[in-house]
Amino acid sequence: MKPAIGRGKWAALAAAVVVCGAAYGQASKPIAMAPVWEKEVLELASSLPIQDGGRVKPLSTYAAFTLLKMNGARTLKVPDPRNLGADGQPKERRLTPIEWLLDCLFYPDAAERYRCFVVETYEVVDSIGVSHEGKKKRDRYSYAELRPGIDKLYQLARQYNTEAEGDTQKLSPVQGQIVNLATNVFEFQRILHYLDFARHTYPIAEGSAAAQLIPENRYSGILEKLSTIGVVAIVLDRGMETIEAGLGAERAQELRSMIPAGFGALSAEDRRKALSELNAIVQDASLMSGRATGLALFPPTKELGDQKEWIAAGELFEPLMGSSTHAHEQIQLIAELETLTALRDQPEAFKSQLAKFHDSVVGIATERGEYSKVPIEVSFYKWKFFFWAQWLFVLVFVLVAISWIAPAARSIDAAALWGLFVPTALLIIGITYRCIIRGRPPVSTLYETILFIAAVAVVCAIAIEFMNRQRIALSVGSVLGAMGMFLANRFEEQQGVDTMPELIAVLDTNFWLSTHVTTVTMGYSAGLLAAAIAHIYIIGRLIGFRKEDKAFYKNLSRMTYGVICFGLVFSTVGTVLGGIWANDSWGRFWGWDPKENGALMIVLWELAMLHARMGGYIRDLGFAVASTFGAIIVAFSWWGVNLLGVGLHSYGFTSGIMPILLGFYTLELAVCACGVLVWILERYRKPAPAVATAPPEIASVRKKRLPAKAAE
Amino acid sequence: MVKALKIGFEFIASYGFACVVFLLLLLLVFLGTIEQVDHGLYEVQKRYFESLFLVHWFEPFGGRLAIPLPLPGVYLLLILFTVNLIAGGIVRMRKNKNTVGNLIIHGGMLFMIAGGFVNFKFAQDGHMTLAESQRSDEFVSYYDWEIAIAQPENGVYQSEYLVPHERLAYLAPEDSAAFTRDDLPFELVVEGFQRNCQPMAMGPMMPHEGELVDGFTLHGMPLDKEAERNIAGAYATVREKKSGATQKAILWGFSAHPWTVTVDGKPYLIDLRHRRYALPFTIVLDKFTHELHPRTQMAKTFMSDVTKIENGVSQAIKITMNEPLRHKGYTFYQASWQPANPQLGTPVKSTLAVVKNPADQWPLYSCIVISAGLLIHFTAKLLKYLRAENKRLVARGATT
């Protein structure tokens, strides 16, 4: 653990007790300050496996999504009492999710003062009787701040859930937020109290009868003796002689071997005392085990048979109670975690103990064949492919914009074109990583559709750019790439759940995921790409951009047409494949399910566009307007139907995106209206002189890319 | 006349006609999708997708205003689309190498529509719900009802007469319909048929709308959005042919036992039940496996190990999600299980969806045909475009 003020002073700092009242406004009791965790500690903790959401994942992934859900952001700002500002107030530092989780586990007193619960409105805290004085409408609260209202919070959440019969769509926004907050607080409590079993002092007095039975005064020691404790309790209750009288000599001998020497010779008074002591110990251990059920950190060892469920520290108590089950290896793991907890203020010892615990857990997980993907996932999140891709797409767009302004600057032009490959490659590598981790084709969740659609749009844009070298597809590709990454990022933040969940049974088929789902999403992608090119056409015509250059607009129109054709192929094939899948899984080819209907609407709209174009009912401008409207249909099919909450595609249901979706519809309708305006203006405008003979724009030609013979 | 026919043909084969049909289909599909939120799939399917005409009510301002919009139903639109496709997309279309892809696409679409029509008209669907070691040689409809009249002799059913769904489906509560056969000594009069209702015990002072039979009346309820939850009921009167004597009862789809009526000294069992379809073989559920993802309530896999017994020959088969059993035109799918959240030790029943659809695989064949057509057509288009772009770039290069 790296100290903030000089490495050598770590121990003094870690041991220091500070009053954080000034920072938090209300804390009054002295609390232990959490350290700045060392890089090695963070790496070890990050790659610890945990079973959550039905799969084994890195602890860092669990921490990241848990914090995201509570905090609404990927990192957490906390005051750093080691680092005071000029005004004497602690400066803020950012905790990564794994740092936050380690603080919660090992320094719960400090962590409960972290403002990690985002609350959207005052009404939420008002309704649970918590003061919002000094807070903004949307602000963050600490567990300590919410504590006075937690009982009320749970009571309200239960009431709303019952009234809504578990259907979150029936909840009002404030009710929904209360239920969410209750869920988050509950999850936080499970983390905060997870290691209470290791911190707790059990009532085993030195030299007592109980101490003879349980030589190690800690939870793992009690677990180890749980099966014996039951027998001893009976002996203490009834007396050895009474029990032995009913047993044969052999069984009596067996019984004597199970209990510590001296137990049989206790006086009645001492037996009562010892029994009471044992009861208190078991009750305490039972209480602590109830708190340690949140994190399934322990892979089941062979002793527990072919068990698929990993276990939390507290979950071993009940099966061992009064049972003859042996779980020495499992208990050993728990003992290692206890030791780790005890060493929290000794950085070097903590690090080596963590490494030992890590090795033990990873060893068992590897043996079970459940660890191989964990380091890959750690590295996937570490590299932040989509984050970098987003900003590189933006950078490429800036370069393209400069090349539009200064068409003669060929180096910028080239940089933009080749530069687009970098974020595209990052995006594709990221998607490939996810495929490897999940063992699935690229698209199996709503989140992954965003990544895939963005990737397909950008790759198509690059292909078009190489076909016609107009810099139009280049611009559109960079914008769509950046928007796709931004949307993926926002969606992940808004949902706050693992984006690599296990799949429900109906989706457990890589064949259909890789055929139907990918083709239909490629259809979405093409629809959006066509609409983006159509935007340039409409807005360009409206503002008179290159208005003399008919070839420019003809090219735009050709591109739109080509992309719509491409989209129609994939939408049609994807929709029919979806029907064939449905015929194999639900027993009917077509069931008028909203998701199916959405895909059909795209096909129908694109068919109408193409037939209207062939029949001469719409020309280039009309086709552009229709393509733009097509984006609304794609958005409805992609997102809109998921908000309806009906149909068999329940695994795609989502919520909370309505405002963004309405904003998108409005924007697209506005662009369509612009198209209509262009049509009206040009219809009544005096015809401009013919420009068909105008020479092509030289500036847009890249000599060096032409075939050598032609260039000569 | 010929001219009029020609104009008619040109009209129905035109791109414009195709566009109008596409746009109306789009509108209907959109409205039908939105309406499912309030009315459920079954009702919407009947009203929007399987109808010739309908009236859609726009209800802006929170329902304070209701504007009717008459529309053609999807069924009619698909007929018009088929005519347009044949006339414009096949008959009128030029036949040359440039249109090969298009012709294949249109042919594939016709095949798909034909598959849809065959499915709509001739498919039977329902479910078979079995506990482990149970067997069945019939499956049960989700939505359709029938009245079965059985005559047991010495504890064995000798014959069963059915009032089919088609005769009941269009009965309104105020209608009355009589059913009989020459070999039955009575006629059965069905009145007050309701698609969703519940028998209610009525005290003598309690007001009630319908008839009272043995102190019970049928209380009509609004149709459920999940159509399979609707439970039909009716008042039934048995009128003896010889004497004209009558006996009356309530038939309700969820009754534990059929109504037993004695006529001419013989007992008859009369039951309102979900329509049943006989199978030419027997299915036995040997084992049902229901596995959740660890530490979640999310289904990882559920499958039924069944034995198919046909002509005394047994065959063990595994039915799981996405891997149905297909045999003799019937397909068995792993649909669900009951109860949804079983307690430990509770026996779990497996529900297999059963479909008999003569056009089962037609969509797959048409998909292959359409894909081939799309590939041919648009590849040709792309190549043409690339050639044009190449020429353009070369021309620009030459200019510079």
Side-chain angles (χ1 to χ4, degrees):
Chain A
M1 283 158 275
K2 195 168 86 181
I5 313 169
R7 188 172 283 271
K9 296 178 183 171
W10 191 93
L13 270 172
V17 173
V18 295
V19 176
C20 293
Y24 292 93
Q26 59 166 324
S28 56
K29 69 173 183 179
I31 56 165
M33 185 171 60
V36 177
W37 301 98
E38 266 188 67
K39 192 181 166 200
E40 291 93 320
V41 169
L42 294 176
E43 281 175 358
L44 282 168
S46 294
S47 58
L48 266 176
I50 179 174
Q51 191 179 63
D52 178 59
R55 74 183 183 101
V56 176
K57 60 176 82 161
L59 192 61
S60 55
T61 303
Y62 168 78
F65 286 103
T66 308
L67 180 62
L68 188 60
K69 188 164 179 283
M70 289 177 192
N71 185 43
R74 288 160 207 281
T75 53
L76 179 68
K77 282 187 201 167
V78 297
D80 183 5
R82 301 172 196 84
N83 197 358
L84 300 180
D87 56 355
Q89 294 295 313
K91 287 185 177 174
E92 283 188 328
R93 73 183 182 106
R94 279 185 184 277
L95 291 186
T96 60
I98 193 69
E99 288 177 303
W100 165 78
L101 185 67
L102 289 177
D103 285 1
C104 290
L105 288 171
F106 295 101
Y107 292 87
D109 288 351
E112 68 175 44
R113 283 163 177 77
Y114 293 164
R115 288 178 176 141
C116 61
F117 297 100
V118 66
V119 173
E120 299 293 334
T121 64
Y122 289 141
E123 286 167 278
V124 174
V125 281
D126 286 349
S127 55
I128 60 169
V130 168
S131 165
H132 60 252
E133 200 180 327
K135 298 272 190 186
K136 288 181 278 185
K137 186 182 174 194
R138 180 184 190 273
D139 213 334
R140 290 187 170 80
Y141 292 74
S142 70
Y143 178 73
E145 286 169 325
L146 292 175
R147 189 167 13 222
I150 286 177
D151 286 347
K152 181 76 178 169
L153 178 69
Y154 285 170
Q155 182 198 336
L156 286 176
R158 266 196 302 273
Q159 181 191 328
Y160 297 151
N161 255 332
T162 310
E163 286 168 3
E165 296 166 330
D167 182 359
T168 51
Q169 291 204 329
K170 290 182 185 168
L171 298 173
S172 72
V174 172
Q175 288 176 337
Q177 285 171 38
I178 287 174
V179 171
N180 274 341
L181 184 62
T183 312
N184 290 339
V185 167
F186 181 69
E187 181 74 20
F188 186 77
Q189 284 178 324
R190 278 154 61 97
I191 298 170
L192 209 62
H193 295 296
Y194 186 77
L195 292 177
D196 281 1
F197 75 90
R199 284 184 282 265
H200 186 69
T201 308
Y202 297 89
I204 307 175
E206 212 171 310
S208 67
Q212 282 184 57
L213 179 65
I214 309 165
E216 280 192 273
N217 185 351
R218 55 184 190 169
Y219 181 73
S220 57
I222 299 167
L223 281 186
E224 195 67 69
K225 298 290 180 185
L226 258 187
S227 54
T228 317
I229 286 175
V231 180
V232 171
I234 295 170
V235 169
L236 291 173
D237 186 35
R238 300 186 196 167
M240 184 67 110
E241 292 78 13
T242 318
I243 296 172
E244 278 184 349
L247 298 173
E250 199 179 325
R251 298 281 309 274
Q253 183 56 36
E254 194 184 327
L255 181 65
R256 280 192 176 279
S257 69
M258 285 176 72
I259 60 171
F263 264 71
L266 290 176
S267 68
E269 178 59 28
D270 286 344
R271 286 212 318 262
R272 265 198 301 279
K273 197 176 159 195
L275 184 61
S276 153
E277 197 180 359
L278 273 186
N279 273 338
I281 294 163
V282 171
Q283 273 180 19
D284 263 23
S286 172
L287 186 69
M288 291 301 126
S289 73
R291 294 182 185 185
T293 56
L295 310 179
L297 286 170
F298 303 96
T301 53
K302 281 179 186 165
E303 296 165 313
L304 299 181
D306 186 25
Q307 183 178 320
K308 289 184 179 159
E309 286 80 15
W310 285 34
I311 43 185
E315 287 167 350
L316 210 52
F317 184 86
E318 205 175 317
L320 290 180
M321 183 76 191
S323 143
S324 57
T325 309
H326 292 291
H328 302 299
E329 289 179 43
Q330 211 74 48
I331 294 168
Q332 185 53 38
L333 288 179
I334 293 172
E336 286 180 17
L337 188 57
E338 282 174 325
T339 308
L340 184 69
T341 310
L343 293 171
R344 68 173 197 176
D345 295 330
Q346 301 169 43
E348 285 309 316
F350 183 90
K351 191 164 64 182
S352 22
Q353 179 62 25
L354 180 60
K356 189 181 169 195
F357 178 65
H358 181 274
D359 290 350
S360 304
V361 171
V362 168
I364 299 167
T366 306
E367 207 173 307
R368 289 171 57 89
E370 292 179 310
Y371 190 72
S372 59
K373 303 283 177 65
V374 171
I376 303 174
E377 190 170 337
V378 171
S379 98
F380 167 74
Y381 282 113
K382 186 179 161 191
W383 285 104
K384 297 180 179 175
F385 295 105
F386 305 135
F387 171 82
W388 293 114
Q390 176 180 322
W391 293 110
L392 286 170
F393 277 127
V394 172
L395 179 66
V396 170
F397 178 70
V398 171
L399 289 175
V400 179
I402 294 170
S403 79
W404 279 104
I405 297 162
R410 292 183 188 283
S411 54
I412 293 175
D413 199 12
L417 179 64
W418 295 105
L420 188 58
F421 278 90
V422 180
T424 310
L426 286 175
L427 176 54
I428 292 170
I429 293 169
I431 292 173
T432 312
Y433 250 97
R434 294 179 64 93
C435 292
I436 294 167
I437 294 164
R438 308 194 70 199
R440 296 280 180 199
V443 189
S444 58
T445 63
L446 202 50
Y447 172 78
E448 286 173 335
T449 60
I450 308 173
L451 302 175
F452 191 71
I453 283 170
V456 171
V458 177
V459 169
C460 287
I462 291 174
I464 295 170
E465 184 59 32
F466 273 91
M467 283 180 207
N468 65 22
R469 297 164 192 186
Q470 294 278 311
R471 279 177 295 171
I472 299 162
L474 190 61
S475 323
V476 171
S478 56
V479 170
L480 286 181
M483 283 173 66
M485 294 302 91
F486 177 76
L487 182 64
N489 197 27
R490 284 290 302 137
F491 182 70
E492 194 179 48
E493 279 181 7
Q494 194 257 342
Q495 299 289 306
V497 292
D498 187 0
T499 59
M500 295 192 226
E502 282 298 342
L503 300 182
I504 60 166
V506 71
L507 295 179
D508 189 12
T509 154
N510 282 352
F511 174 75
W512 290 115
L513 285 175
S514 56
T515 51
H516 158 64
V517 180
T518 45
T519 44
V520 94
T521 41
M522 283 167 88
Y524 291 169
S525 184
L528 294 175
L529 179 60
I533 300 169
H535 282 44
I536 299 178
Y537 186 101
I538 293 169
I539 304 296
R541 291 265 300 255
L542 183 70
I543 63 174
F545 176 70
R546 291 171 74 165
K547 63 180 174 183
E548 303 304 321
D549 187 357
K550 284 197 169 175
F552 172 75
Y553 286 101
K554 201 71 211 165
N555 255 318
L556 280 173
S557 195
R558 273 199 210 113
M559 274 188 258
T560 314
Y561 171 73
V563 177
I564 286 290
C565 292
F566 174 85
L568 179 64
V569 172
F570 284 96
S571 294
T572 308
V573 174
T575 305
V576 179
L577 284 174
I580 297 169
W581 183 6
N583 197 28
D584 265 10
S585 57
W586 295 325
R588 85 291 184 285
F589 171 73
W590 197 260
W592 302 106
D593 181 90
K595 200 71 183 171
E596 296 170 351
N597 292 350
L600 177 63
M601 284 168 64
I602 297 174
V603 174
L604 287 170
W605 181 248
E606 289 177 350
L607 281 174
M609 282 169 67
L610 292 178
H611 283 78
R613 185 178 181 271
M614 279 188 283
Y617 302 107
I618 55 172
R619 305 233 169 130
D620 291 351
L621 179 62
F623 200 75
V625 173
S627 300
T628 304
F629 190 78
I632 294 176
I633 296 177
V634 170
F636 177 75
S637 175
W638 185 13
W639 295 99
V641 293
N642 295 333
L643 296 172
L644 299 178
V646 291
L648 287 171
H649 291 73
S650 55
Y651 41 82
F653 290 174
T654 189
S655 59
I657 53 163
M658 185 56 108
I660 296 173
L661 198 58
L662 287 178
F664 181 77
Y665 291 160
T666 311
L667 181 72
E668 295 307 297
L669 283 174
V671 177
C672 290
C674 289
V676 175
L677 185 64
V678 170
W679 180 73
I680 293 169
L681 290 174
E682 293 189 356
R683 192 177 168 85
Y684 296 104
R685 191 179 288 164
K686 195 176 167 185
V691 290
T693 53
E697 190 174 322
I698 293 166
S700 65
V701 176
R702 297 175 187 129
K703 272 185 184 175
K704 62 182 179 182
R705 288 193 206 139
L706 293 172
K709 198 173 173 185
E712 284 161 12
Chain B
M1 181 65 186
V2 175
K3 195 182 173 188
L5 280 174
K6 198 175 171 189
I7 292 170
F9 178 79
E10 286 300 323
F11 171 72
I12 205 117
S14 66
Y15 286 121
F17 189 81
C19 289
V20 171
V21 171
F22 286 138
L23 293 176
L24 282 171
L25 274 172
L26 179 70
L27 178 65
L28 262 293
V29 172
F30 174 70
L31 294 176
T33 305
I34 299 295
E35 286 293 298
Q36 286 183 35
V37 177
D38 292 328
H39 301 291
L41 174 62
Y42 186 80
E43 284 305 310
V44 167
Q45 198 166 327
K46 296 283 170 209
R47 197 168 144 213
Y48 287 80
F49 304 137
E50 295 176 3
S51 61
L52 291 171
F53 294 99
L54 66 120
V55 176
H56 175 81
W57 290 88
F58 281 107
E59 293 179 349
F61 310 112
R64 275 172 287 176
L65 192 64
I67 306 163
L69 177 69
L71 288 167
V74 168
Y75 189 71
L76 175 62
L77 286 172
L78 284 177
I79 293 171
L80 295 175
F81 174 59
T82 308
V83 174
N84 172 258
L85 191 59
I86 295 169
I90 293 177
V91 177
R92 196 187 64 174
M93 185 178 276
R94 280 191 300 253
K95 277 81 178 173
N96 57 40
K97 65 172 186 177
N98 294 328
T99 59
V100 170
N102 254 335
L103 281 167
I104 295 173
I105 296 168
H106 290 162
M109 291 186 85
L110 265 182
F111 190 40
M112 186 179 290
I113 292 171
F117 181 77
V118 171
N119 175 37
F120 177 63
K121 283 291 178 192
F122 304 108
Q124 300 170 346
D125 67 336
H127 67 97
M128 179 189 279
T129 300
L130 299 172
E132 282 180 9
S133 79
Q134 266 189 341
R135 61 174 58 207
S136 178
D137 56 3
E138 60 184 15
F139 64 98
V140 181
S141 170
Y142 284 108
Y143 315 110
D144 296 355
W145 296 92
E146 64 187 10
I147 295 176
I149 304 166
Q151 188 197 350
E153 274 181 22
N154 302 324
V156 180
Y157 292 100
Q158 297 301 318
S159 51
E160 196 173 62
Y161 306 101
L162 297 175
V163 178
H165 169 78
E166 291 73 18
R167 303 293 301 276
L168 298 172
Y170 299 105
L171 286 181
E174 59 275 14
D175 292 341
S176 169
F179 305 98
T180 188
R181 278 177 63 101
D182 290 344
D183 47 354
L184 277 178
F186 61 87
E187 68 174 22
L188 179 71
V189 182
V190 176
E191 294 166 295
F193 183 84
Q194 301 196 58
R195 287 167 60 194
N196 192 24
C197 58
Q198 195 175 9
M200 288 181 74
M202 305 300 288
M205 302 302 287
M206 290 168 78
H208 56 90
E209 298 160 7
E211 277 184 78
L212 208 57
V213 179
D214 296 336
F216 281 81
T217 186
L218 272 180
H219 174 65
M221 294 191 297
L223 291 176
D224 199 294
K225 280 199 281 183
E226 306 282 327
E228 58 266 35
R229 289 189 191 166
N230 293 324
I231 302 166
Y235 297 99
T237 307
V238 163
R239 185 179 296 129
E240 292 182 30
K241 285 179 182 171
K242 279 185 190 167
S243 63
T246 58
Q247 301 178 58
K248 197 156 194 175
I250 285 177
L251 297 180
W252 188 52
F254 218 56
S255 298
H257 303 288
W259 174 34
T260 308
V261 58
T262 307
V263 179
D264 291 349
K266 286 184 181 172
Y268 291 87
L269 304 178
I270 303 176
D271 193 13
L272 176 65
R273 65 188 191 191
H274 271 127
R275 185 179 199 164
R276 295 181 188 179
Y277 299 97
L279 290 167
F281 48 87
T282 302
I283 296 288
V284 184
L285 178 68
D286 301 319
K287 189 183 169 200
F288 177 63
T289 310
H290 170 219
E291 196 181 322
L292 301 175
H293 284 292
R295 299 178 71 89
T296 68
Q297 289 301 309
M298 193 196 295
K300 183 182 182 189
T301 180
F302 46 114
M303 68 170 100
S304 297
D305 289 295
V306 301
T307 301
K308 172 174 70 66
I309 305 170
E310 189 176 17
N311 301 325
V313 180
S314 298
Q315 185 188 357
I317 297 162
K318 198 180 282 291
I319 302 173
T320 183
M321 285 300 297
N322 300 313
E323 286 175 31
L325 155 67
R326 287 194 163 86
H327 183 65
K328 283 201 166 172
Y330 293 91
T331 316
F332 293 75
Y333 307 88
Q334 184 62 65
S336 60
W337 66 89
Q338 296 172 8
N341 297 306
Q343 301 295 310
L344 197 66
T346 312
V348 181
K349 288 183 174 180
S350 169
T351 297
L352 303 171
V354 189
V355 177
K356 187 184 185 190
N357 176 14
D360 183 37
Q361 294 295 302
W362 293 17
L364 175 62
Y365 307 143
S366 57
C367 178
I368 295 166
V369 173
I370 292 171
S371 303
L374 286 168
L375 206 64
I376 294 168
H377 181 70
F378 287 116
T379 306
K381 286 261 179 193
L382 179 66
L383 291 175
K384 194 177 165 191
Y385 172 73
L386 288 176
R387 279 196 291 270
E389 281 300 312
N390 198 37
K391 269 186 192 169
R392 188 179 63 79
L393 287 173
V394 171
R396 281 194 179 184
T399 314
T400 56

